[in-house]
Amino acid sequence: MVEIEGIIEQIVFTNEVNGYTVCDVKCKKETITVVGYMPFVNAGESIRLTGNWVVHRDYGKQLKVEYYEKIMPKTVPAIEKYLASGVIKGIREATAKKIVDRFGEDSLDIIRFSPEKLSMIKGISKKKAIEIGQAFAEISGLTEVAMFLQGYGISPSYSAKIYKKYGEGAIEKIKNNPYELLEEVPGIGFKVIDRMAMSLGIDPASKYRISSGIKYILSQAAVNGHTYLPDEELCESASRLLEVTLNSIEDALIKLMIDDAVYVETTEKGSRNVYLKTLYQAEVEVCRKLGDLVAVNFEEETFDFEEKIKRVQIQENIILADKQKIAIKEAMTNGVLVITGGPGTGKTTIIKCIIKLLRNSGYEVALAAPTGRAAKRMTEATGYEAKTIHRLLEIGYTGDDDRLTFARTEGNPIDADVVIIDETSMVDIILMNHLLKSIPAGCRLILVGDADQLPSVGPGNVLKDIIASGTVKVVHLTEIYRQAEESMIIVNAHRMNKGEYPCLNVKGKDFFFIPKNNAGEIVSTILDLCSKRLPASYNYDPIRHIQVLTPTRKGPIGVSNLNIEMQKVLNPPDKRKKEKAFKSIIYREGDRVMQIRNNYDIRWEKPDNPDIWGEGVFNGDLGVIVEIDEEEQNIVVLFDDDKLVKYDFSIQEEIETAFATTIHKSQGSEFPAVIMPVFSGPPVLMTRNLLYTAVTRAKELVVLVGSEECLRYMVDNQRETLRHSGLLEKLEKCMTFYEEDFNK
């Protein structure tokens, strides 16, 4: 084991997920190559290393690091070099020189203990001085926390989140109660925290450990779409995870019920369903509010209906079918209406007519959809502004603990007489609860969606449960109208939805199938379609107009591999394009990317007018990287809805390359052309509704590539993943109560 000190001259490679780093270190008169797990090190930093010499077959002699620590430079030249390296945000070469010229060997002490004194230097405001001090403190604290957590298998990216949450007291806080991280820093696996807790001496049978395990299992169930778990299933899962007795789990459940963290509901059959309390309350509140809205009737609106509908048809230059007129009439008279149907069944036409009639009668109408892309489509289709549901509810953060809040609530409802929600199949139980709370008494609610699409990513089976309950008026649209009949995309979508095989390669149409026998052939065909054939035949931009959708993330035809291969062809390395590595993926200027979680407070602006700006980018939004700025440490993305967003490197994990995406991530979106690989896989991923969802994302062209046998299997496979949801049963009970109360 050897120990050396030196200055990092160059970072050759770093894996930002696990901190594995290769760098060149200047040690006395020689430069050595150092490899090992060294999170958050930067060029220009002084470092003390402990490790062993090894000889790499290709790269020669290297120091393999077992332990490292940063040391602060002591001489004026070393301090200036350190500051000029850019390791502290806000300081570059010119500012570094000014600081050391003014404060000399005391420069680092000034930055750490008295940063406000930096404002004595021309060009550094007091605000910037404080920010520099904060950045320096964060570097020191973050490194200490990362080194502590690294021994327990927690990645640097999570170390940064933990430090942001707890600050300088992070290590002590973690030692006292590591399980708290599961709730405060979502995403860390229970098993990782559990191993840490065991090594820190936490009792395996402690009630807090068992309670945390139970809540973790219920949280994971919610991630998989469930609002509850049957108690037997929960107890079995907890017993396997925690290796404790069922009695211990029952005791912990009782404690969680007393603490109001979970709710145990006993069904009429005597079984018990265990909920996280928030999900139980959401189901109950959705039932209550729907009951209130359904109870209101607007029969007076049918007066002179035929004359009104004639005028609308003349204004819109359309002829409505009888079923469409029925849907519009039901919207006029019911407090709550569900309009459901597949593509080409006239949903958009109906919505436009409803809006026209209600606005003509003086009603204020609000339109919304779950995602930004769906809201944009709704705006384009109807001619009226639609917002995301989150924007409609005016989402924000509390100042104290950074929790999400909605400005629109029962006490401050939406200022509208009618609320129309599109793509309702994507709405989970939590969002539906917040939406219904914000709708004022006497307001109409119209829910529009395709019940045969995939269910929401979040917990619940909201649209299907509402329809199945029979407690809300539902209009099912099944007829395909003349213009839609010309599209084989729409014809085949309906055929597949009925269990019939699609008509393939009809001459002059828009639905094609290319048979290929193995994964390699499928991938090469997709690359050829994207880069050559479709751009040449249809004048498509391969980045903006063509979207590859696949059922899975893993494997040769999964999202991860397809994005790597498509990037090589559609946006290869170029000296003129900057790159940034993150999680073993190279992000490059010109890449297609997707926002993969909701960020409600990130700022966006219009590229041609910075004075027009707003906040919020949402899960599923797509764009292109237009700039990677190493000096400012950000990635600039231009989204499809013409919003320019700057991502700090610290939140780079919020975007991922998206030449290809999963079908689940495409919900609510529409693309000119969709390419889908069709191949053998797990039955849960080879389902009819997954295929149906992918096909209905295409506006102009569908190309399926792969096995016709697998395509037929998907059409035949009606399997839907079971979701534990109590909304249907609650709605039926709730409406029975309302009916009994009404008849008294």
Side-chain angles (χ1 to χ4, degrees):
M1 196 79 75
V2 297
E3 181 180 293
I4 65 169
E5 290 185 14
I7 297 174
I8 299 174
E9 289 198 324
Q10 179 186 9
I11 302 293
V12 178
F13 168 81
T14 185
N15 183 323
E16 298 191 32
V17 177
N18 59 23
Y20 185 82
T21 301
V22 179
C23 61
D24 293 333
V25 175
K26 180 75 174 294
C27 179
K28 295 181 179 178
K29 294 183 179 180
E30 65 174 333
T31 298
I32 63 172
T33 299
V34 176
V35 299
Y37 294 95
M38 298 175 285
F40 306 115
V41 296
N42 299 274
E45 290 184 312
S46 297
I47 194 167
R48 182 179 292 116
L49 304 162
T50 303
N52 294 299
W53 292 108
V54 296
V55 178
H56 189 278
R57 184 179 60 187
D58 297 322
Y59 303 112
K61 189 177 179 182
Q62 299 176 333
L63 182 68
K64 186 176 181 181
V65 174
E66 297 295 329
Y67 176 80
Y68 82 98
E69 62 177 316
K70 295 182 181 181
I71 53 177
M72 289 295 104
K74 297 179 177 59
T75 66
V76 170
I79 292 171
E80 182 176 347
K81 186 174 183 179
Y82 169 72
L83 294 177
S85 70
V87 64
I88 302 175
K89 195 171 182 179
I91 301 179
R92 302 300 283 184
E93 290 88 345
T95 306
K97 184 171 185 352
K98 290 179 182 178
I99 292 172
V100 295
D101 284 350
R102 181 65 183 257
F103 298 111
E105 293 180 357
D106 296 328
S107 295
L108 295 180
D109 286 340
I110 293 293
I111 294 171
R112 184 173 184 179
F113 301 111
S114 306
E116 67 280 357
K117 291 184 179 179
L118 295 175
S119 61
M120 298 163 60
I121 298 172
K122 187 177 181 180
I124 300 179
S125 65
K126 191 165 186 178
K127 179 183 176 184
K128 185 176 179 180
I130 297 300
E131 288 174 349
I132 289 171
Q134 290 172 342
F136 185 69
E138 186 171 323
I139 291 167
S140 304
L142 185 54
T143 302
E144 185 181 0
V145 170
M147 291 177 67
F148 171 75
L149 293 174
Q150 183 180 292
Y152 300 104
I154 295 178
S155 70
S157 59
Y158 280 115
S159 298
K161 293 178 182 178
I162 291 166
Y163 181 79
K164 182 180 179 182
K165 178 70 183 178
Y166 295 123
E168 292 182 4
I171 293 175
E172 196 61 35
K173 186 85 173 174
I174 293 164
K175 287 180 177 178
N176 290 337
N177 182 9
Y179 292 104
E180 192 172 313
L181 293 175
L182 293 168
E183 295 182 29
E184 298 294 346
V185 187
I188 302 178
F190 177 85
K191 291 181 180 179
V192 172
I193 298 299
D194 203 38
R195 283 195 299 270
M196 178 195 295
M198 296 301 98
S199 67
L200 291 171
I202 303 293
D203 182 1
S206 74
K207 279 195 169 78
Y208 196 88
R209 174 178 181 255
I210 299 171
S211 297
S212 295
I214 289 171
K215 287 190 287 184
Y216 172 75
I217 291 167
L218 291 173
S219 297
Q220 288 303 109
V223 169
N224 292 322
H226 306 294
T227 58
Y228 71 84
L229 285 179
D231 68 336
E232 288 184 6
E233 186 177 332
L234 172 64
C235 289
E236 287 174 8
S237 297
S239 181
R240 285 196 304 271
L241 177 70
L242 303 168
E243 297 180 343
V244 295
T245 65
L246 291 176
N247 285 338
S248 299
I249 295 167
E250 284 289 346
D251 291 344
L253 261 178
I254 292 169
K255 178 70 165 59
L256 286 169
M257 291 169 64
I258 293 170
D259 292 343
D260 219 24
V262 305
Y263 185 89
V264 180
E265 179 184 55
T266 304
T267 68
E268 291 181 350
K269 296 179 180 178
S271 60
R272 301 198 312 166
N273 299 332
V274 186
Y275 288 81
L276 288 172
K277 187 64 179 289
T278 51
L279 293 175
Y280 177 77
Q281 289 175 328
E283 285 191 350
V284 170
E285 286 298 308
V286 165
C287 289
R288 180 186 68 81
K289 189 64 181 185
L290 277 176
D292 291 344
L293 294 172
V294 167
V296 180
N297 192 275
F298 300 90
E299 286 293 338
E300 70 276 5
E301 294 294 341
T302 59
F303 176 75
D304 208 17
F305 178 77
E306 290 300 328
E307 279 301 313
K308 291 177 181 176
I309 208 72
K310 281 180 185 177
R311 286 198 294 271
V312 168
Q313 289 180 98
I314 292 169
Q315 290 171 356
E316 296 293 323
N317 192 27
I318 57 172
I319 299 174
L320 294 168
D322 290 341
K323 195 65 175 279
Q324 291 176 307
K325 291 179 183 178
I326 290 170
I328 295 167
K329 190 171 185 179
E330 295 291 358
M332 296 297 103
T333 57
N334 286 280
V336 181
L337 175 68
V338 173
I339 301 173
T340 183
T345 54
K347 295 191 298 292
T348 299
T349 300
I350 291 169
I351 294 172
K352 288 173 69 175
C353 292
I354 290 170
I355 296 169
K356 198 83 172 179
L357 278 173
L358 290 168
R359 286 173 65 93
N360 287 346
S361 298
Y363 291 107
E364 188 67 33
V365 182
L367 309 180
T371 67
R373 290 180 66 84
K376 183 182 178 184
R377 284 177 56 201
M378 196 180 188
T379 299
E380 292 169 347
T382 64
Y384 297 95
E385 182 190 7
K387 300 178 180 179
T388 63
I389 297 174
H390 294 90
R391 280 286 163 245
L392 183 69
L393 302 182
E394 298 177 20
I395 198 165
Y397 291 90
T398 58
D400 297 332
D401 54 6
D402 222 26
R403 284 187 301 109
L404 285 175
T405 60
F406 294 90
R408 294 295 182 176
T409 60
E410 285 182 298
N412 181 34
I414 297 167
D415 186 17
D417 306 301
V418 184
V419 174
I420 303 176
I421 305 297
D422 199 9
E423 297 283 0
T424 309
S425 63
M426 298 177 65
V427 179
D428 62 35
I429 192 67
I430 296 293
L431 186 56
M432 180 59 77
N433 182 33
H434 285 296
L435 172 66
L436 292 179
K437 280 182 178 179
S438 73
I439 294 178
C443 179
R444 289 180 181 83
L445 173 64
I446 300 169
L447 303 174
V448 184
D450 187 344
D452 295 313
Q453 298 268 1
L454 292 169
S456 60
V457 175
N461 220 9
V462 176
L463 182 61
K464 285 188 177 180
D465 284 350
I466 290 173
I467 292 171
S469 72
T471 54
V472 172
K473 188 68 181 180
V474 179
V475 176
H476 294 270
L477 302 173
T478 56
E479 183 179 351
I480 305 175
Y481 293 100
R482 186 176 302 165
Q483 187 176 356
E485 286 177 342
E486 298 173 3
S487 168
M488 291 308 298
I489 295 173
I490 291 173
V491 170
N492 281 335
H494 285 269
R495 286 180 63 86
M496 291 185 295
N497 205 30
K498 292 186 289 186
E500 300 172 4
Y501 300 136
C503 300
L504 304 176
N505 301 330
V506 177
K507 189 174 181 180
K509 294 295 185 178
D510 52 10
F511 194 105
F512 299 96
F513 181 84
I514 301 175
K516 293 298 171 185
N517 297 321
N518 58 60
E521 289 181 351
I522 293 172
V523 172
S524 62
T525 301
I526 289 173
L527 296 178
D528 188 49
L529 285 166
C530 291
S531 62
K532 298 175 184 175
R533 292 166 64 177
L534 297 190
S537 299
Y538 298 90
N539 199 31
Y540 285 146
D541 178 339
I543 301 292
R544 295 183 180 275
H545 297 152
I546 303 170
Q547 188 63 50
V548 176
L549 302 179
T550 181
T552 182
R553 298 194 69 85
K554 298 179 180 179
I557 316 177
V559 164
S560 299
N561 184 60
L562 280 172
N563 273 315
I564 291 170
E565 296 302 321
M566 292 177 71
Q567 184 191 53
K568 291 176 185 176
V569 173
L570 300 180
N571 192 32
D574 188 320
K575 291 181 180 179
R576 295 166 297 179
K577 294 182 178 181
K578 295 176 185 173
E579 300 177 349
K580 177 72 169 68
F582 182 74
K583 291 187 176 181
S584 73
I585 296 171
I586 301 295
Y587 291 82
R588 185 174 296 126
E589 290 175 346
D591 277 350
R592 182 76 158 159
V593 292
M594 173 185 280
Q595 174 80 14
I596 59 171
R597 65 191 62 166
N598 291 334
N599 185 328
Y600 302 101
D601 60 353
I602 193 169
R603 180 188 168 102
W604 57 262
E605 60 187 39
K606 291 296 182 181
D608 53 351
N609 188 350
D611 292 333
I612 301 176
W613 63 277
E615 294 178 336
V617 183
F618 302 99
N619 191 355
D621 286 354
L622 287 159
V624 175
I625 296 176
V626 294
E627 184 182 3
I628 296 175
D629 190 329
E630 286 286 351
E631 184 168 338
E632 292 298 322
Q633 297 186 22
N634 60 42
I635 293 176
V636 184
V637 177
L638 179 62
F639 283 95
D640 289 353
D641 53 359
D642 206 33
K643 293 177 180 176
L644 198 68
V645 178
K646 291 183 179 180
Y647 288 86
D648 188 272
F649 285 168
S650 64
I651 59 168
Q652 188 175 341
E653 63 188 19
E654 292 192 5
I655 57 173
E656 65 180 20
T657 49
F659 301 102
T661 69
T662 61
I663 296 167
H664 283 86
K665 282 287 188 182
S666 73
Q667 287 177 269
S669 300
E670 190 176 65
F671 311 99
V674 164
I675 301 172
M676 177 184 168
V678 181
F679 57 96
S680 181
V684 70
L685 292 177
M686 295 189 68
T687 62
R688 181 187 298 174
N689 69 339
L690 198 74
L691 176 62
Y692 174 79
T693 300
V695 167
T696 54
R697 300 307 90 207
K699 190 175 181 181
E700 300 170 3
L701 183 70
V702 166
V703 184
L704 306 180
V705 184
S707 163
E708 189 168 351
E709 181 183 350
C710 291
L711 174 62
R712 289 172 177 264
Y713 178 88
M714 292 185 81
V715 174
D716 293 336
N717 183 12
Q718 283 188 273
R719 172 176 175 169
E720 292 185 30
T721 305
L722 171 68
R723 285 196 167 199
H724 295 301
S725 167
L727 181 61
L728 173 57
E729 187 177 3
K730 289 183 178 65
L731 278 170
E732 291 171 340
K733 283 184 181 178
C734 182
M735 292 308 169
T736 300
F737 169 78
Y738 272 91
E739 287 170 6
E740 290 174 354
D741 189 57
F742 180 77
N743 292 327
K744 285 181 181 179

